[in-house]
Amino acid sequence: MSATLDACLRSWPWDPWLLATCLVSVTLYYRGWRALGRRDPWRWHGGRLVAFFGGVAAVYLALASPIEPLASLLLGVHMVQHLLLIMVAPPLVWLSAPMFPLLRGLPRSVRTLWVVPLVSSRELRRPFHRLTHPLTALPVLIAASWLWHVPPAYELALRSPPWHYVQHACFLLAGLVFWYPVVRPFPSRPRWSAWVLLPYLILADIQNTVLSALLTFSARVLYPHYTQVPRIANLSPLDDQTAAGVLMWVPGSVAFLAPLFAIGLRLLYGAETERRPRAAQKANTPDRVIYHLPVLGSRSTRPGPRHARPFAVGPLYRFFRWRHARLTLQIPLLIVAAAVIYDGLCGPQASPLNLAGVLPWIHWRGLVVLGLLAVGNLSCMACPFTLPRRLAGHWLPQRWSWPRGLRSKWLAVALLALFLWAYEAFALWDSPWWTAWITIGYFAAAFAVDGFFRGAAFCKYVCPIGQFNFVQSLVSPFEVAVHDRQICTSCRTKDCLRGRAGIPGCELELFQPRKSGNLDCTFCLDCVQACPHANVGLVASLPGSQLWHDRLRSGVGRLSQRADVAALVAVLVFGSFANAAGMVGPVVEWQQRTAAALGLSARGMITIYYLLAIVLTPLGAVTLASLASRRGAQPPVALLAVATRYTYALIPLGFGMWLAHYGFHLFTSYETIVPVTQRFLADLGLGNLGEPNWRCACCLPSPAWLLRAELLFLDLGFLLSLYTGYRLSFSAESGRRQVVKEFLPWSALITLLFFVGVWVVFQPMQMRGTMAAGG
């Protein structure tokens, strides 16, 4: 036996009172659960028994396992103990609906003469209801968490065993009070609206994030006790404190955000009536109305999420209906593009001093992802590169159809991978001249392709930027869609597709009543203006919900049959991590060491890095996940079909990484545009805006809230990817066990990518395009 295992086994503390309490609790619950299950197996299923046993086991592990003695030596272990008591045991206990089984498990005389009168008394129920109200429960959790982490109180608990027990009791009780309104265990009937739980959980996550950030980023040891005890594994007290903060931060955020996401879905979809199970039919029990949760629910038979009313109302609605709305947005960006080209070719060739080195690589990219997050594909809507299409329509024939062999995303996949590689290999971010010529090339390609080929072929099959926007906007909160499908059923002219009165229809041939999601939709608004019934507009939809089904989509077909779109998704998702990781200190140092060891040039090393990151790694990871998932599929499914179906679950997490990365550069370098614009206008002799303050061309220190925002983006993307994968596992008729077998490999891949993203955002990153980057 190894010394570590032997020490672990010998360090189990003996607490007979706790052990007896746990054994009595599980025995009473099991007796009551078994008796209730005979009468109503539909409600008292095995999941409740597992939840109660899991909650009791979490308490026992926290207080009577090696965690307890090690907590006095390592703050990180102490944090695990607190997480078990606050965030693991309480929700599991409430999910088991413990009241009835525990009461039923008691001897009849004790139950009827003592416990039931006590539980049903108004003197006990009234303070309990007040204590578990969200307006009370949240301050209770915050007070317990913050007061016991104040150094004097924390040190007192470490020095005094009785106070240590009081601390644990406070954490457990605060957790029970906090999670009660979230779980709403049967037979509770809360008097507050479920909408209250959304800010309730958000505020809980914020306070947890702030407290964990104080531990993570503190430059000194907050609890002197840990400087006086023997160190384990050569872990310094400060590193131990940082690890404890990260443990509180990441799992804590997941614990708060996962039910937030589930409750939001339940509120949006409402209640559903589930078909009675056979066990309930045999027991002659009535039908019940249930709420589906992401993990515990069963497959929904709904055709899809119902759209809300069009977003554009009043003046905004009239603007979108205006024929020249898109042109109004494109003209300012066309002027900016012209300025970027001119300054890139004629201005100073130092990136922080040039519009072509600042605007495209800092501001435009950040604003694109924020626009996708807030509304949708605004980038394509205001894209100036499509303006040459109008000129091409007058000068060139536009008579040919795009070649049949290129009617897929494979060309765009290759161009996108080429761009990701070239961005690093040729340091495009540091070359205003290259940036200007890339912009010119974009205008020329759009003019040539759309001048000879009809159907907006450049946007649909060629443009890498457009493919990025199409994929990421699948998780945007709005899409261009119809409001009332019945109106479309009675429409005979189909003007949204064909056009009318000089207003063109959809050039990408997306028929609105059969369109689903934003894939291939440029937000051109032609369908909005062409519809004579004012039945098309920006419509609110649940982010990511268009990935949860595999219905036939106009202009796209079925996503499960589009291996080219799945490949595009894989390149974009893994490219988001590769692009961000390629700028952090440890990866840059690894590239330099490897290049020196192999005798490679910097460009050669970058080529190998991107070959591994966006080709071999996604190919290997998706193949392994597909092979493991395929083993659980019944009937057997082709490997390519499994890979294609589940790859779409990675989109939200990839988008979260793009948001974290580009948002970081935007919010730390947004001032760089000011002195560059002053210099550019002064060179042109257009106005006197003062002497440029080149200190603004340096990057700003990263504010404390920015890291929390990056982690929040990753958290939300992680949860939405997990739920999307879960929903995709129901695309075939299968039992719950089979669904779990198919989904588990992909959940492991999503989790692994999530932790890679968390590691990346915690690393120091190069500040390109600024003075601090050295050009």
Side-chain angles (χ1 to χ4, degrees):
M1 181 182 298
S2 67
T4 302
L5 179 59
D6 180 66
C8 182
L9 293 175
R10 291 177 181 273
S11 62
W12 278 81
W14 172 246
D15 192 336
W17 291 106
L18 178 63
L19 180 61
T21 302
C22 293
L23 290 176
V24 170
S25 299
V26 297
T27 302
L28 291 177
Y29 186 91
Y30 177 74
R31 291 183 72 245
W33 170 83
R34 187 175 60 177
L36 294 171
R38 295 193 191 102
R39 299 173 55 186
D40 190 358
W42 184 88
R43 185 182 300 280
W44 303 104
H45 49 78
R48 295 200 186 276
L49 182 67
V50 172
F52 187 82
F53 281 23
V56 174
V59 174
Y60 189 80
L61 284 174
L63 302 179
S65 74
I67 291 176
E68 171 65 15
L70 288 176
S72 61
L73 301 177
L74 290 174
L75 180 59
V77 177
H78 211 165
M79 193 59 63
V80 171
Q81 189 178 45
H82 296 170
L83 291 175
L84 287 172
L85 293 174
I86 296 177
M87 299 181 181
V88 178
L92 286 175
V93 169
W94 290 133
L95 284 171
S96 69
M99 180 178 177
F100 281 178
L102 289 176
L103 288 175
R104 186 64 177 80
L106 290 169
R108 177 173 296 182
S109 58
V110 176
R111 180 173 70 245
T112 57
L113 296 179
W114 292 3
V115 180
V116 171
L118 179 64
V119 172
S120 59
S121 66
R122 181 175 298 179
E123 290 77 11
L124 182 63
R125 294 172 60 187
R126 182 176 295 174
F128 178 79
H129 290 322
R130 291 179 177 175
L131 187 62
T132 54
H133 191 281
L135 293 180
T136 308
L138 180 60
V140 167
L141 177 73
I142 295 175
S145 300
W146 283 80
L147 290 178
W148 277 112
H149 282 91
V150 173
Y154 201 95
E155 290 282 316
L156 176 64
L158 289 172
R159 291 195 307 266
S160 171
W163 280 108
H164 204 184
Y165 294 144
V166 172
Q167 183 190 52
H168 291 160
C170 289
F171 284 148
L172 182 59
L173 292 175
L176 289 170
V177 167
F178 175 82
W179 290 106
Y180 183 88
V182 177
V183 179
R184 300 185 178 193
F186 177 80
S188 65
R189 294 182 179 179
R191 299 178 181 177
W192 58 82
S193 170
W195 289 99
V196 175
L197 298 178
L198 301 184
Y200 178 76
L201 289 166
I202 290 174
L203 291 174
D205 182 48
I206 291 174
Q207 66 86 26
N208 179 77
T209 299
V210 173
L211 181 56
S212 57
L214 292 176
L215 293 173
T216 303
F217 299 114
S218 176
R220 62 183 180 87
V221 178
L222 298 178
Y223 308 117
H225 168 85
Y226 291 105
T227 64
Q228 303 166 4
V229 296
R231 304 311 305 163
I232 298 178
N234 296 323
L235 190 65
S236 68
L238 192 58
D239 290 340
D240 180 27
Q241 181 173 286
T242 301
V246 174
L247 280 172
M248 176 187 285
W249 199 330
V250 179
S253 292
V254 173
F256 291 123
L257 295 177
L260 173 70
F261 184 67
I263 292 169
L265 289 175
R266 185 177 64 189
L267 292 173
L268 288 171
Y269 284 127
E272 293 181 1
T273 302
E274 187 178 55
R275 184 177 297 176
R276 295 171 63 191
R278 292 182 180 179
Q281 293 175 1
K282 292 179 180 179
N284 196 26
T285 55
D287 291 341
R288 294 170 174 81
V289 176
I290 67 170
Y291 291 97
H292 289 308
L293 296 178
V295 178
L296 304 179
S298 60
R299 184 183 179 187
S300 172
T301 57
R302 291 185 140 197
R306 297 181 63 184
H307 291 305
R309 286 196 166 271
F311 173 70
V313 293
L316 190 58
Y317 174 74
R318 290 192 293 271
F319 174 76
F320 283 142
R321 294 284 298 173
W322 183 36
R323 183 173 180 178
H324 303 292
R326 190 186 191 192
L327 185 62
T328 303
L329 298 176
Q330 288 176 313
I331 288 177
L333 286 186
L334 179 65
I335 296 173
V336 171
V340 166
I341 293 173
Y342 177 82
D343 206 27
L345 296 177
C346 303
Q349 290 303 302
S351 182
L353 310 181
N354 198 296
L355 286 175
V358 170
L359 269 178
W361 307 118
I362 296 177
H363 300 81
W364 174 76
R365 295 192 307 180
L367 293 175
V368 164
V369 293
L370 291 179
L372 288 166
L373 174 67
V375 179
N377 195 359
L378 289 178
S379 176
C380 286
M381 181 180 178
C383 176
F385 298 121
T386 58
L387 283 175
R389 183 184 306 164
R390 299 193 176 190
L391 298 176
H394 294 290
W395 298 342
L396 298 176
Q398 287 187 316
R399 66 178 65 173
W400 298 339
S401 297
W402 188 250
R404 185 176 299 274
L406 296 178
R407 293 180 191 176
S408 66
K409 301 295 185 182
W410 290 115
L411 176 60
V413 170
L415 291 175
L416 186 63
L418 179 65
F419 171 78
L420 290 173
W421 165 79
Y423 173 79
E424 289 286 347
F426 293 96
L428 300 181
W429 49 271
D430 197 30
S431 175
W433 187 85
W434 268 115
T435 303
W437 276 109
I438 290 173
T439 308
I440 294 172
Y442 244 96
F443 278 109
F447 182 83
V449 172
D450 288 337
F452 291 98
F453 299 96
R454 57 179 178 267
F458 178 78
C459 297
K460 188 168 186 176
Y461 301 116
V462 180
C463 178
I465 298 174
Q467 311 311 314
F468 176 91
N469 295 333
F470 292 155
V471 171
Q472 311 307 332
S473 61
L474 286 171
V475 291
S476 295
F478 295 96
E479 64 174 307
V480 177
V482 299
H483 168 53
D484 189 346
R485 296 184 186 275
Q486 295 297 326
I487 295 177
C488 295
T489 303
S490 60
C491 179
R492 296 291 179 265
T493 58
K494 314 300 181 189
D495 294 325
C496 63
L497 185 62
R498 301 169 182 168
R500 68 178 176 91
I503 302 175
C506 182
E507 290 186 309
L508 287 95
E509 299 180 350
L510 303 177
F511 185 42
Q512 282 299 327
R514 298 175 187 171
K515 174 179 170 289
S516 179
N518 290 319
L519 193 62
D520 285 355
C521 178
T522 61
F523 274 44
C524 67
L525 304 181
D526 288 341
C527 56
V528 176
Q529 298 144 16
C531 178
H533 310 288
N535 193 38
V536 184
L538 276 182
V539 173
S541 64
L542 191 64
S545 60
Q546 302 304 331
L547 296 170
W548 302 343
H549 65 82
D550 194 32
R551 295 194 300 270
L552 191 67
R553 305 164 190 255
S554 176
V556 179
R558 298 187 187 277
L559 288 180
S560 63
Q561 299 173 4
R562 294 293 302 270
D564 56 327
V565 179
L568 176 66
V569 169
V571 170
L572 281 171
V573 171
F574 284 84
S576 68
F577 291 91
N579 186 247
M583 302 182 191
V584 302
V587 175
V588 172
E589 293 173 3
W590 169 80
Q591 289 179 345
Q592 293 172 348
R593 290 196 305 268
T594 305
L598 299 178
L600 297 173
S601 64
R603 188 169 298 169
M605 187 62 229
I606 290 172
T607 303
I608 292 176
Y609 171 75
Y610 273 93
L611 181 64
L612 289 172
I614 65 175
V615 178
L616 298 181
T617 298
L619 184 62
V622 170
T623 300
L624 289 176
S626 301
L627 285 170
S629 182
R630 186 186 177 195
R631 296 182 61 184
Q634 293 293 335
V637 183
L639 183 65
L640 181 61
V642 176
T644 302
R645 184 174 74 189
Y646 280 102
T647 299
Y648 299 109
L650 305 176
I651 293 176
L653 181 57
F655 184 41
M657 189 70 246
W658 286 118
L659 276 169
H661 180 200
Y662 286 170
F664 172 82
H665 286 293
L666 177 64
F667 290 110
T668 55
S669 307
Y670 65 91
E671 287 186 347
T672 55
I673 189 60
V674 176
V676 174
T677 303
Q678 290 176 308
R679 194 272 315 155
F680 176 73
L681 294 178
D683 289 352
L684 295 179
L686 300 177
N688 183 12
L689 299 181
E691 189 69 22
N693 182 6
W694 292 111
R695 286 183 296 180
C696 294
C698 301
C699 59
L700 299 172
S702 177
W705 61 264
L706 185 55
L707 179 59
R708 295 195 290 270
E710 292 178 88
L711 291 174
L712 179 62
F713 291 147
L714 287 173
D715 288 344
L716 294 176
F718 171 63
L719 295 174
L720 187 54
S721 281
L722 284 179
Y723 185 65
T724 300
Y726 174 76
R727 289 294 295 262
L728 288 173
S729 64
F730 283 106
S731 60
E733 296 293 339
S734 54
R736 188 172 303 279
R737 182 173 299 179
Q738 179 181 336
V739 166
V740 172
K741 288 182 179 179
E742 289 188 40
F743 172 57
L744 275 179
W746 293 94
S747 65
L749 175 59
I750 292 169
T751 304
L752 178 61
L753 286 174
F754 169 71
F755 282 112
V756 170
V758 171
W759 178 82
V760 167
V761 300
F762 272 100
Q763 304 305 312
M765 181 169 287
Q766 291 180 348
M767 304 304 297
R768 297 176 175 178
T770 66
M771 289 291 191

